[in-house]
Each structure stands twice: as C-alpha cells, then as structure tokens.
Amino acid sequence: GGNITGLASFADELAGKRLELLKETLPKATRFGVIIGGGGPGNELQVKSMKEVASALGLKLEVMGEASDAEKLVKAFQTAVRERVNGIITTSGSIIFGQRKSIIVLAANYKLPAIYPQTEFVEDGGLLSYGVDRRELYRRAAVYVDKILRGEKAAEIPVERPYKFAFWANLKAAKQIGFTFPPNVLVRAEKVIR
C-alpha cells in the first residue's frame, strides 16, 4: 500500500562474491582483511555475507578497521600488515567511496592486493572491482522517473534488481605491487586497464 519503488543494489550479497573473486585472484591465500566504512546495519550485513563465504572456502576473515577518517584508515592497514593478511576487501558505502583514493594509495604502499565495490576504484588506480554496474542503474533510474512523470504510480512499479555487473582489473596496479593476475581471472574481466 506504499508509494515507493526503485532499484536494489545487492550490497551484502555482492560482498561475498567479491571475496570469492579475491580468493580466485590469490589462490594460495588464506587470510583476508576487511576495511569497513563505519558502523551500521549496511556494513554488518556485508561483513556477515563475507564471513559466510570465508567459512565455506576455509578462509580466515577479520575486520581490520574503519575508513571513517585518515588516522583510522592508516591503523586499519597497519593492522592488516601486522596480522599478515594476503589481501584486502572493503565494504561498499559512501564513506569507503569517499576515501577511495587514500585506500588505493595505502593498498599500493603496503603491497596488498585489494578488491573494491565500484569501478571508480580501478579507474583511480585500484587493483580489482566487482559490483553492480552503477551507470546502468542510473539509466534505469531515468526510466523510472520517466514512467512516474507520465502518470504511473510508483507503488505499481516493481522494485528492480540489477542484472548487469562490472568486473574490472588494473594491470598497472598489479605491476606496482609486484603482482601477476592468474589468466582465468583476467579473461573474465569486463575491462582491463593496461
């Protein structure tokens, strides 16, 4: 009976898939660190999904810290190094997105392979990203706006789940940290930055 519609983003479900992809990229790895944006149910659901996948794959997964400010972010990476994680995964959300350039620089400086939730991370120099194709979501949102402006009731338009996902890899970032992608990972990437 509500007056709402929109597009879903799969944030928690895709967090687990990103961990699977990072494990494929680092087949011998057993320890991964998570950097979260801060507290809240969104981060908790994503971490829960990652931990379920980690358990199924026999991996150790620990939250390294928050990206809510520069000091906490540096401490998170220092913790990752101290705990000898093999790779980093981040949650998705506005804080992580806003700190993306700092996260990318720290991952490169500490030579930690990392996977991110949006393609902008790879465009800015990150190693890997997998997530909903946000550009496609924006196009779909325009279709929804058009329908509503033409008189359709929002409550009668179903919430749409995304159907297009983006998997990107960055060879420059790999070279910077002395990493070589397995061929089976690169062949699946929709876009490879050289």
Side-chain angles (χ1 to χ4, degrees):
N3 191 23
I4 189 168
T5 190
L7 302 157
S9 70
F10 277 135
D12 53 330
E13 294 158 357
L14 291 179
K17 180 64 177 173
R18 276 194 299 281
L19 181 59
E20 288 176 17
L21 288 168
L22 188 57
K23 173 61 178 161
E24 278 185 58
T25 303
L26 303 163
K28 294 179 181 175
T30 58
R31 300 174 60 85
F32 294 96
V34 180
I35 297 180
I36 63 172
N43 280 291
E44 291 169 12
L45 288 171
Q46 291 177 65
V47 171
K48 181 179 182 242
S49 176
M50 287 181 218
K51 285 188 175 185
E52 289 170 0
V53 169
S55 178
L57 296 175
L59 304 174
K60 181 160 176 62
L61 180 79
E62 293 294 329
V63 173
M64 298 291 104
E66 294 183 14
S68 55
D69 64 51
E71 185 178 329
K72 287 180 182 175
L73 185 55
V74 169
K75 283 183 183 178
F77 273 93
Q78 290 170 341
T79 301
V81 170
R82 187 175 57 252
E83 295 294 321
R84 297 183 181 177
V85 301
N86 305 115
I88 294 289
I89 183 169
T90 67
T91 57
S92 65
S94 59
I95 292 173
I96 292 289
F97 190 79
Q99 291 276 21
R100 74 184 178 281
K101 291 183 180 181
S102 297
I103 294 169
I104 291 163
V105 167
L106 287 164
N109 287 346
Y110 286 107
K111 300 200 179 304
L112 284 168
I115 189 165
Y116 306 103
Q118 288 113 357
T119 57
E120 289 87 350
F121 285 85
V122 175
E123 290 173 324
D124 289 340
L127 185 67
L128 285 169
S129 68
Y130 180 78
V132 172
D133 184 333
R134 291 180 0 153
R135 292 172 179 112
E136 182 62 24
L137 279 184
Y138 298 150
R139 285 189 280 278
R140 295 298 308 151
V143 170
Y144 274 54
V145 169
D146 181 63
K147 287 179 179 182
I148 292 167
L149 291 176
R150 292 178 186 269
E152 285 192 51
K153 293 181 180 176
E156 294 174 4
I157 304 171
V159 172
E160 186 176 292
R161 294 175 67 115
Y163 59 88
K164 189 172 180 190
F165 303 92
F167 179 41
W168 287 19
N170 187 326
L171 293 176
K172 287 187 214 176
K175 185 177 180 181
Q176 186 178 6
I177 64 171
F179 176 75
T180 303
F181 282 105
N184 64 316
V185 172
L186 275 183
V187 76
R188 290 182 17 225
E190 174 187 337
K191 182 172 182 175
V192 177
I193 295 176
R194 300 183 187 280

